[in-house]
Amino acid sequence: MATISIEYSNPLATQKDLAWGVESINRTSPESDQVASSLLEEMAAATGLPSFVWIPCRRYWKSETSLPTWLTLSPALVDRFLYANGSTLVDLGPSIRFLGFPVTLPTGEVAILGSVAREGAASAPAEWILAATDAGWSQAELTQFVDSLLCIPRPTLERLCALAGRHFSSMRTVDRLDDELQQLTSQIEYTFEEISLLHSLTQRLQLSRSPLELANHCLARLHSLIPAAGNAIWMQVDHDRHHFSVEGHLPLDEFQLARLTSRFEEHDWSRPLVKNNLAKTLLGADFPGLQNFILVPIGEAPFRRGWIVSCNLSDDKEYGSVEASLLGSIGTILGTHLRNIELYREHQSLVISFVRSLVQTLDAKDPYTRGHSERVALIARRLGQELRLPADDLEDIYMSSMLHDIGKIGVDDRILRKPDQLTPEEFRAIQQHPMIGYRILKQLKNLQHILPGVRSHHEAFNGKGYPDCLKGEEIPLMARIIAVADSYDAMCSDRPYRKGMPLERLEEIFRRGSGLQWDPNVIDAYFAAREDISEICRAYSPTGADLLAELPIETMARRFL
Ligand SMILES: [Fe+2]
Ligand SMILES: [Fe+2]
């Protein structure tokens, strides 16, 4: 029996393909059957011969109707085709010939694609006689079938075999390239989605965004990238507050998640924990419904602030490095954001403590004006509201008002506390306080934006104020507002050397001084808000700088950090 093997640079099946074929025993696959059928049609069209396809590992046989149902390949023939490197011509008896190729189907199964021909007056080989007899065929029927086979001389059949081999080799190459293209396309799509998610996340890392909002944003977009039964984020956002956000059907509640994480305390959390195939494992038994999962920390120890968990990947798929990498990136970003918020809070606390200390120092130095800074701050903020200033500006005005007289720290106590009329020299000493305050606070980078109020709150609208003799709108608006609030509180309050001025008189002074001492717009704002301002002063109680602590973190973070 002569055999011709034709070599190809790109063989149709590799040893790896064959191994997959062995693994897929007993597997049924409509997809493979469909591909096998189309290959059969292709083979018949390419060779013009009655053709068949044979999937040995699950004994799937399909042939053209011109071939009898008993015609299959013996194990010996199967081996000849499977282990041939490319297309093969196999003689069966003296003049019956098979030509065939191993091909790998989508399931990984290896099939043999072949055709049958004869040369000259052929007689049926012994194995056909046995098979036909078993199938109830008569000798005449078998002879008729053999005679019906196309008669093709060996050289022609060899060329046909070679051409068909090349044809299928090319088809395989095209299919492979097509598969690679599809894989590449879906990989690019996934990467784009991944980058898009991480980009959208980093775009939302302002301190004003709550961690819960970020977590929910991640979970909402995560499902399209990691189609799991459930994804969840558990975060410790404060000393006594945490969030547990779940998307989908998580087979773990909060308590079980805590139990799961504690089980892996020894894990090296610089990399995600990936667990697949939990069925029939101790872990699977302890956490029923958990088939596979990825667990990543939010933040690194000692600043770990929570966990991201993804459970039960869809379609029985296993978690891999792609999912682990994405969740790891999200965990790092969220962890960094939470840590930043903590740092901002610490910084905020420092700034508040500092301002509180300054105000208390001033109050201790000049007890007669205790509470002045806070009242001016409250009044100035109300004037700012009346002038429709944005919230950020109102908080700046508030903070600047709190510190507007801080320069008095550098003025002699005897002058500050003097109950009598000041001498010109003493008055000049007092007039130094805006610049002294400015110089003190100028050193502090985080308070730069409130300096105009401190330096210029004694400027007059007509240019006759101090220290810079600024005029009109040359004076920063913050300072023009503080000037009105400062004057109001100074005139209204009792001092050791005089009683507070009646409101009617004060307002008369405001009217006369509008456009001269004070900005007319701010004076108008005062008259529009006069009842509120009276109420602010009436209701005022010296709470100290604790009012500062009421500033929202967003404001502090935005304005002072
Ligand atoms: Fe002042
Ligand atoms: Fe003042």
CSV table of all heavy atoms in Angstrom, one decimal, residues 95 97 118-123 147 151-153:
chain,number,residue,atom,x,y,z
A,95,SER,N,-6.9,-0.5,-5.8
A,95,SER,CA,-7.3,0.6,-6.7
A,95,SER,C,-8.3,1.5,-6.1
A,95,SER,O,-8.8,2.4,-6.8
A,95,SER,CB,-7.8,0.0,-8.0
A,95,SER,OG,-8.8,-0.9,-7.7
A,97,ARG,N,-8.9,4.6,-3.4
A,97,ARG,CA,-8.0,5.6,-2.8
A,97,ARG,C,-8.8,6.6,-2.0
A,97,ARG,O,-9.8,7.1,-2.5
A,97,ARG,CB,-7.1,6.3,-3.8
A,97,ARG,CG,-6.1,5.3,-4.4
A,97,ARG,CD,-5.0,6.0,-5.2
A,97,ARG,NE,-4.2,4.9,-5.8
A,97,ARG,CZ,-4.3,4.5,-7.1
A,97,ARG,NH1,-5.2,5.0,-7.9
A,97,ARG,NH2,-3.6,3.5,-7.5
A,118,ARG,N,-11.4,5.9,-7.4
A,118,ARG,CA,-10.8,4.6,-7.8
A,118,ARG,C,-10.0,4.8,-9.0
A,118,ARG,O,-10.0,5.9,-9.6
A,118,ARG,CB,-11.9,3.6,-8.0
A,118,ARG,CG,-12.7,3.8,-9.3
A,118,ARG,CD,-13.8,2.8,-9.5
A,118,ARG,NE,-14.7,3.2,-10.6
A,118,ARG,CZ,-14.5,2.9,-11.9
A,118,ARG,NH1,-13.4,2.3,-12.3
A,118,ARG,NH2,-15.4,3.3,-12.8
A,119,GLU,N,-9.2,3.7,-9.3
A,119,GLU,CA,-8.4,3.8,-10.6
A,119,GLU,C,-8.6,2.5,-11.3
A,119,GLU,O,-8.4,1.4,-10.7
A,119,GLU,CB,-7.0,4.0,-10.3
A,119,GLU,CG,-6.2,4.1,-11.6
A,119,GLU,CD,-4.7,4.5,-11.3
A,119,GLU,OE1,-4.3,4.5,-10.2
A,119,GLU,OE2,-4.0,4.9,-12.3
A,120,GLY,N,-9.1,2.5,-12.5
A,120,GLY,CA,-9.3,1.3,-13.3
A,120,GLY,C,-10.5,0.5,-12.8
A,120,GLY,O,-11.4,1.0,-12.1
A,121,ALA,N,-10.5,-0.8,-13.2
A,121,ALA,CA,-11.6,-1.7,-12.7
A,121,ALA,C,-11.3,-2.1,-11.3
A,121,ALA,O,-10.5,-3.0,-11.0
A,121,ALA,CB,-11.6,-2.9,-13.7
A,122,ALA,N,-11.9,-1.4,-10.4
A,122,ALA,CA,-11.6,-1.6,-9.0
A,122,ALA,C,-12.4,-2.7,-8.4
A,122,ALA,O,-13.6,-2.9,-8.8
A,122,ALA,CB,-11.8,-0.3,-8.2
A,123,SER,N,-11.9,-3.3,-7.4
A,123,SER,CA,-12.7,-4.3,-6.6
A,123,SER,C,-12.8,-3.8,-5.2
A,123,SER,O,-11.8,-3.1,-4.7
A,123,SER,CB,-12.1,-5.7,-6.7
A,123,SER,OG,-10.8,-5.6,-6.2
A,147,ASP,N,-18.2,0.6,-8.8
A,147,ASP,CA,-18.1,1.1,-10.1
A,147,ASP,C,-18.6,2.5,-10.3
A,147,ASP,O,-18.2,3.2,-11.2
A,147,ASP,CB,-19.1,0.2,-11.0
A,147,ASP,CG,-18.4,-1.2,-11.2
A,147,ASP,OD1,-17.2,-1.4,-10.9
A,147,ASP,OD2,-19.2,-2.2,-11.6
A,151,CYS,N,-13.3,7.4,-11.6
A,151,CYS,CA,-12.1,6.8,-11.9
A,151,CYS,C,-11.0,7.8,-12.3
A,151,CYS,O,-11.2,8.6,-13.3
A,151,CYS,CB,-12.3,5.8,-13.1
A,151,CYS,SG,-10.8,5.0,-13.6
A,152,ILE,N,-10.0,8.0,-11.4
A,152,ILE,CA,-9.0,9.0,-11.6
A,152,ILE,C,-7.6,8.4,-11.5
A,152,ILE,O,-7.3,7.7,-10.5
A,152,ILE,CB,-9.2,10.1,-10.6
A,152,ILE,CG1,-10.6,10.7,-10.6
A,152,ILE,CG2,-8.1,11.2,-10.8
A,152,ILE,CD1,-10.9,11.8,-9.6
A,153,PRO,N,-6.8,8.6,-12.5
A,153,PRO,CA,-5.4,8.1,-12.5
A,153,PRO,C,-4.7,8.7,-11.3
A,153,PRO,O,-4.9,9.8,-10.9
A,153,PRO,CB,-4.8,8.6,-13.8
A,153,PRO,CG,-6.0,9.0,-14.6
A,153,PRO,CD,-7.1,9.4,-13.7
